Amino acid sequence: MTDQSQPSTTRRGFIKAGLATGGAIAAGGAANAAEPDPLITEIQPWAQGLGDGVDAVPYGLPIEYEDDVIRRNVEWLTADTISSINFTPIHALDGTITPQGCAFERHHSGAIELRKQDYRLMINGLVDRPLIFTYEDLERFPRENRVYFCECAANSGMEWAGAQLNGAQFTHGMIHNMEYSGVPLRTLLEEAGVQTEGKWIYVEGADASSNGRSIPLEKAMDDVLVAFKANGEALRKEHGYPVRLVVPGWEGNLWVKWLRRIEVTPQAIQSREETSKYTDTLADGTSRKWTWEMDAKSVITSPSPQSPITHGPGPLVITGLAWSGRGAIERVDVTIDGGKTWQTARLAQPGQDKAISRFYLDIEWDGSEMFLQSRAVDSTGYVQPTKDQLREVRGLNSIYHNNGIQTWWVNGNGEAENVEIS
Amino acid sequence: APAFAEKFGLGRPALPEEIAAWNVDVAPDGTGLPEGSGSVEDGERLFSDNCAVCHGEFAEGVGNWPKLAGGEGTLDHEDPLKTVGSYWPYLSTAWDYVHRSMPFGGAQSLSVDEVYAITAYILYSNYLVEEDFVLSNENFLDVEMPNADGFIVDDREEAEAHFWNAEPCMEDCKDSVEITMRAAVLDVTPEEETDEVATEQEEITAAADTQEA
């Protein structure tokens, strides 16, 4: 049991920065100004001189004042940075679409560079006509646009044994949500002609790791996309340029990047990524395999450890993300007292199938400490469980699929910390 | 009934040589395994030259790099050691993965016989074969993997059926709330300010020791 009376001994660097900025904003925004505000009464340079020309930045980056809204990695998680992970700054984003430039990466042998001219996609195995497609071929098939989340199976995995990383970016940031344009995998498989003995597909990438995975034919013929655009533009190199697989609702490892081959097989290949990895060990030592769906999950992104309350008591926007691999988000409940009482939050848009939803709860904060939690409910009636409920079934060694309810402890100063509570 | 799929006539037939070049996966029943063989003795030398810098001379792992041997009987422990010997259900996976993706940074550089030899050496390192063992496509399926029966197909919809409960508690759900664990006490989150990193190194190392990479 931790002594609650002790203040946090190590103040985070980014919180310090956040509080400094926030203080200045709070002073400027006071309800009744004693002195006229020089930002109003004095002519500012930007109101007098000229800004940049339209030729200054052919492809722009965010303004420098947003330079903390970036991917971060956690060095001690992996042996090197090549087969590793980084994290989306979800604590600083709003809405649901993840900007590609700060959307998380997970590679097993690095982000490779594969030109469209060098790109080839093979379909082989139990098909009538084994085929080779060029990138140009793929753009000639009828296209679909769909928004889906891609969540790493290991998102929140470091938190199985308890509260460890202090920030929503680190605890929940192995996720992005994009609008994909591409061809239904079904269309390509039908072009090759799947034979009746075909029960699975095996998909692999062009990179050295190959990341081969087996997918039941039923899913392949349902909603899987072979995507080449995300959020309107080509995939980023690190997200599989020029072509990746989009496997709605299923763990991110299956979203094979730099997709080069689809083999129709009678059986699962049981590759390294579905035996050694992405299998979930239970307390008795047996392990679940083929845990494909990502269950309903949510997290409050603000306030959170990297996004403290800087404006003092009064109106407060509590906001966060919810998603489910089994369907659409129907509802998100939020508690400010650690789960004694819950209120249903407001969804910014009706939930979409296997895509992220944004929720808001607007409260009047009285300045007292809060234990914030969110709880997602999806269209199948699944209710996001607590971490303890998950541990009762699975133990502590599952590594993957931790969708337990997150708690932020907000103190009277508005600082938030990742905690677990009874 | 759905209409027969329209064909677009896009793409071209894959040639046998092309399929042979890319279609190298091996299934648990041995499908895809090429003809060849390799001994523990040859594997030991090859492993030393190509693998040991990361995985150790005895496949025991160096630093944070994966351990390929050891961990027998630890899967129900607090901190299980999951290796080829203690965890992997199929030998086909080891052969396939080494052949296609190892060594890290120099993948697809091993010949078929070399992969048989290295796989034999990994088995030997896990005390699963004798030192004079020779692995080939013919005796491949005779090797017994200790954790072959250690896996069940995803059973969440049965084992976790109680999570499907669309009427969760909304009021008076608990009497008290106590903090049981704090991330700030562990303090392993990366800092923006670099001068704090050095002082945190010891704690980070301690945390990494408890972490499955």
Side-chain angles (χ1 to χ4, degrees):
Chain A
M1 181 63 210
T2 308
D3 181 0
Q4 289 186 48
S5 66
Q6 284 295 321
S8 167
T9 49
T10 306
R11 190 66 47 86
R12 323 306 307 175
F14 43 74
I15 289 180
K16 261 192 256 175
L19 288 173
T21 313
I25 291 167
N32 296 298
E35 301 286 332
D37 185 349
L39 282 168
I40 298 169
T41 57
E42 293 173 12
I43 297 169
Q44 300 298 315
W46 56 82
Q48 194 155 42
L50 302 174
D52 297 334
V54 295
D55 59 346
V57 188
Y59 197 108
L61 288 170
I63 195 165
E64 61 181 303
Y65 312 116
E66 297 295 317
D67 65 1
D68 58 329
V69 185
I70 52 173
R71 300 165 180 146
R72 291 182 189 281
N73 77 321
V74 176
E75 275 182 35
W76 54 262
L77 280 177
T78 50
D80 73 336
T81 58
I82 303 296
S83 179
S84 193
I85 187 84
N86 64 24
F87 299 86
T88 304
I90 56 169
H91 64 288
L93 303 177
D94 211 323
T96 58
I97 295 296
T98 313
Q100 289 196 81
C102 65
F104 87 103
E105 303 167 70
R106 202 292 186 237
H107 318 301
H108 292 80
S109 51
I112 60 166
E113 190 167 299
L114 180 55
R115 302 186 310 164
K116 285 178 182 171
Q117 302 95 296
D118 298 335
Y119 180 77
R120 298 290 183 274
L121 175 63
M122 178 185 290
I123 298 185
N124 72 302
L126 297 169
V127 292
D128 296 333
R129 292 172 299 282
L131 291 173
I132 303 287
F133 297 112
T134 62
Y135 179 82
E136 290 71 23
D137 292 333
L138 295 181
E139 283 203 335
R140 297 173 65 189
F141 285 99
R143 239 171 273 171
E144 288 183 0
N145 283 209
R146 297 276 187 274
V147 176
Y148 294 117
F149 73 83
C150 173
E151 182 185 17
C152 180
N155 199 20
S156 315
M158 300 82 72
E159 305 289 308
W160 268 112
Q164 181 154 250
L165 287 163
N166 211 17
Q169 179 171 19
F170 301 107
T171 57
H172 290 75
M174 295 182 195
I175 192 166
H176 55 60
N177 193 64
M178 300 189 191
E179 183 197 39
Y180 294 97
S181 308
V183 178
L185 176 56
R186 180 193 333 110
T187 306
L188 301 183
L189 289 171
E190 285 171 349
E191 191 73 11
V194 175
Q195 298 175 348
T196 50
E197 306 81 43
K199 301 289 183 244
W200 293 78
I201 59 165
Y202 181 70
V203 284
E204 66 178 13
D207 63 315
S209 82
S210 95
N211 197 59
R213 289 285 313 245
S214 305
I215 297 175
L217 192 63
E218 191 179 30
K219 176 72 174 177
M221 299 299 267
D222 180 15
D223 56 3
V224 176
L225 287 178
V226 174
F228 36 80
K229 297 278 172 73
N231 295 350
E233 60 181 356
L235 296 172
R236 294 291 169 99
K237 166 183 155 180
E238 62 271 29
H239 296 140
Y241 181 93
V243 177
R244 84 172 306 166
L245 207 61
V246 168
V247 190
W250 287 21
E251 61 188 13
N253 180 257
L254 291 149
W255 294 48
V256 172
K257 297 187 286 191
W258 314 291
L259 179 69
R260 84 167 190 186
R261 194 171 67 94
I262 299 159
E263 179 183 2
V264 179
T265 59
Q267 58 183 321
I269 297 301
Q270 313 258 15
S271 69
R272 186 253 195 181
E273 304 293 328
E274 54 197 345
T275 54
S276 170
K277 306 298 176 190
Y278 308 98
T279 49
D280 313 353
T281 301
L282 302 169
D284 67 358
T286 62
S287 302
R288 289 174 177 161
K289 66 177 179 181
W290 302 340
T291 48
W292 298 307
E293 288 98 347
M294 300 306 292
D295 282 317
K297 187 168 176 178
S298 67
V299 63
I300 291 171
T301 52
S302 183
S304 67
Q306 296 157 282
S307 182
I309 305 169
T310 56
H311 51 58
L316 170 68
V317 174
I318 298 174
T319 186
L321 302 170
W323 60 94
S324 171
R326 297 184 191 268
I329 290 298
E330 292 262 291
R331 193 176 99 212
V332 180
D333 300 327
V334 169
T335 177
I336 64 172
D337 60 14
K340 292 179 189 169
T341 54
W342 295 82
Q343 318 176 55
T344 297
R346 173 168 59 89
L347 295 183
Q349 300 283 343
Q352 289 184 70
D353 191 42
K354 303 173 183 101
I356 278 184
S357 286
R358 168 67 59 177
F359 66 86
Y360 295 104
L361 183 70
D362 305 296
I363 69 162
E364 192 74 13
W365 184 45
D366 64 7
S368 58
E369 78 168 9
M370 297 185 284
F371 291 100
L372 296 178
Q373 296 180 332
S374 60
R375 182 177 67 194
V377 182
D378 75 15
S379 50
T380 69
Y382 179 99
V383 182
Q384 184 184 2
T386 64
K387 291 179 184 174
D388 284 339
Q389 285 175 309
L390 284 175
R391 290 172 185 141
E392 273 175 34
V393 181
R394 306 184 193 171
L396 293 175
N397 293 325
S398 283
I399 300 175
Y400 308 107
H401 292 280
N402 182 355
N403 65 318
I405 289 174
Q406 174 66 45
T407 309
W408 305 127
W409 174 32
V410 180
N411 68 21
N413 295 327
E415 297 160 321
E417 182 181 334
N418 175 12
V419 297
E420 295 216 5
I421 57 175
S422 57
Chain B
F4 279 105
E6 185 188 353
K7 294 280 192 290
F8 296 91
L10 294 169
R12 62 156 177 91
L15 301 177
E17 298 88 338
E18 294 170 331
I19 295 174
W22 278 7
N23 181 28
V24 294
D25 55 86
V26 180
D29 65 1
T31 303
L33 209 54
E35 273 184 38
S37 67
S39 65
V40 170
E41 190 182 351
D42 287 345
E44 182 170 24
R45 176 179 48 78
L46 289 160
F47 197 89
S48 186
D49 292 347
N50 296 286
C51 320
V53 64
C54 295
H55 297 295
E57 289 292 341
F58 307 99
E60 79 281 16
V62 173
N64 241 354
W65 295 103
K67 299 167 172 59
L68 308 184
E72 304 86 356
T74 66
L75 296 180
D76 59 352
H77 291 199
E78 191 176 330
D79 204 5
L81 175 54
K82 293 152 79 164
T83 70
V84 177
S86 71
Y87 192 63
W88 293 33
Y90 305 109
L91 191 60
S92 57
T93 310
W95 199 98
D96 174 272
Y97 184 68
V98 170
H99 181 229
R100 194 164 12 170
S101 298
M102 286 288 138
F104 191 62
Q108 302 191 78
S109 60
L110 297 168
S111 72
V112 164
D113 286 341
E114 286 173 333
V115 175
Y116 276 109
I118 288 171
T119 306
Y121 181 67
I122 293 170
L123 289 171
Y124 173 71
S125 300
N126 279 285
Y127 307 107
L128 297 175
V129 298
E130 300 299 322
E131 60 187 330
D132 59 355
F133 180 72
V134 178
L135 181 67
S136 72
N137 56 303
E138 295 189 340
N139 66 1
F140 198 86
L141 294 180
D142 299 339
V143 179
E144 290 184 28
M145 298 296 278
N147 198 39
D149 298 325
F151 295 80
I152 56 169
V153 174
D154 183 6
D155 66 342
R156 280 177 289 177
E157 289 185 38
E158 299 83 54
E160 300 175 1
H162 52 297
F163 297 159
W164 276 267
N165 160 37
E167 303 298 332
C169 180
M170 296 296 286
E171 285 190 43
D172 300 321
C173 302
K174 51 169 101 164
D175 293 331
S176 66
V177 171
E178 304 288 335
I179 294 177
T180 55
M181 199 170 295
R182 296 181 50 187
V185 172
L186 192 59
D187 198 21
V188 292
T189 310
E191 297 278 350
E192 212 166 13
E193 294 167 345
T194 49
D195 57 351
E196 289 185 41
V197 171
T199 58
E200 286 194 324
Q201 202 55 52
E202 275 186 26
E203 291 159 286
I204 289 170
T205 307
D209 286 343
T210 68
Q211 201 69 27
E212 217 273 347

